[in-house]
Every structure is written in C-alpha cells, then in structure tokens.
Amino acid sequence: RVPADMGTEAEAEYWRLLGEVAQKQQQEALALGAFRRLLEMQDAKARDFDEVINLLIRSDRGEAARVSLRAWHQFHDPRHLSQALYMLEDLNEWSHAGQQIDRALADTKTAGLLLQQPAFLHAAALYYQHVGQARKALELLQKGLALDGGSTLMRQSLLWLLIDTQNAALLAPMLAQAEPAWAQDPEMHDALAAAYMALSRPAVALQRYLRPHLQENGDDFLWMMSYAD
C-alpha cells in the first residue's frame, strides 16, 4: 500500500522498485501488477513498458502486443512497433498487423524512420508475403539485407520467399553471389538446401547441406521426411 502523502515521482519509484524486487524473487504476478501501475502514471518510462511486455510474452502474447503498440504510440521507438508486429503475426492477427503497418507508413516522417529499421522491414515483409504481395515483400527484404547483411533471419526469409514464389530468375544468381558466405552459417543450410531443390539440383542439396546434418537430425521426423524426398 502506497502512503497517501507520497509524491508522484516517489510513487513511481516505489512501484518500479517493487517490480524489480518481485522479479528477482520470481514473483511474476506481483511484478506484473507493480509495473502495470507504472504504465498508468505520467512518469512511466519506456523501460517500464518493456518490463510489462517481457512478462506478458510468456503468458498473454495478445496483451503483450497491445502494450507494445501503446509504447510505440507514446515513445515512437520503432522496436516497439516491430515487436508488436511479430507478435500479431505469430497470433495470426494479420489484418491487425496490416492496419498498423499502413497507419505507420502513411506518415512520411514516420515511414522514413521505419524504412531504415531492419526489424520493421522484416516484419512488414512477412505481412506482405502472407497477403500475396510478393513484390513488395521482396523489396523490403532486399532493403533489410542491405542494411543488415549479416542477419540470418533476413537471409532465410529472402530465400524462402524466392522459393515459395518459384522465382528462379532471382534465386539462381543470388545463390551464385551469396552462397560462399551464407554457407558458413549452419542455420542457413536448410534454406540453402531447399533453394537447390527448387532449382532442380537435389544432388547439390544432399551433398552440401543435408547429409552433413543427417546424424544430428535423426530424431526429427519432419526433417527426415524432407531428406527422404
């Protein structure tokens, strides 16, 4: 219980400290309640929203997405919008994700900021791919990869987009250019194997990317089915 004569700033620090202590003691319900109180105060900071989001992700991703959107509208930090989009997409709330993307990109200044953020570009590309706008998804992924060339997630998404849309005209030259570097990342091997399968070159997929991982995936039924195919 907060003393009646406690000032606003002191009250904010009280709830923040309570939330931090409760987290250290693994009392998540108490921590969540404390940080929720902070969000209703004028002194709430972005990190207070982050605490609520991180706690909710494990129990209620829908509400976590809503809190992320609140944080985006209040602090205009692109990471909150990107985080919300990923969660909405995971929940199959594609329409809601699309509304948020359209609303954000409708403002020229905001669009200029977001289109320089790899995470937003990736999340938006997933949406456009889902709704059948492959060309727009491709444009965003290419831009994202130009900004963050080392992103495994961006590389994988770009390959899978070209595979799913059967875009051999772009897939083949991309492999010729990027494969030497991308092949060094084991996380890329499944996508690279699928790319060669899409180009009707299963022998390359087997030799370079599937057989080296056969033993470690022996208990993975879906992986073994793909290998058998």
Side-chain angles (χ1 to χ4, degrees), residues 21-92:
V21 171
Q23 278 189 305
K24 290 179 181 179
Q25 297 178 346
Q26 298 182 334
Q27 298 184 48
E28 291 193 0
L30 179 59
L32 182 57
F35 286 119
R36 280 184 188 277
R37 291 292 297 268
L38 275 168
L39 300 196
E40 306 308 320
M41 303 181 66
Q42 292 184 347
D43 289 343
K45 303 181 186 303
R47 66 185 177 96
D48 300 322
F49 279 82
D50 291 335
E51 296 288 2
V52 173
I53 294 164
N54 291 334
L55 286 165
L56 286 172
I57 281 175
R58 295 190 288 271
S59 59
D60 189 340
R61 293 176 69 82
E63 187 175 358
R66 290 189 289 273
V67 175
S68 293
L69 289 173
R70 279 185 59 192
W72 158 244
H73 293 306
Q74 184 164 336
F75 299 103
H76 308 292
D77 186 335
R79 67 186 174 86
H80 286 126
L81 177 59
S82 301
Q83 187 177 41
L85 292 176
Y86 280 128
M87 287 187 281
L88 291 173
E89 291 166 355
D90 285 344
L91 293 167
N92 287 318

Side-chain angles (χ1 to χ4, degrees), residues 5-14 41-43:
D5 60 346
M6 182 177 286
T8 302
E9 184 176 345
E11 182 181 352
E13 287 306 314
Y14 168 83
M41 303 181 66
Q42 292 184 347
D43 289 343

Side-chain angles (χ1 to χ4, degrees), residues 167-182:
N167 193 337
L170 285 180
L171 184 57
M174 177 176 293
L175 282 178
Q177 178 182 1
E179 184 183 8
W182 293 6

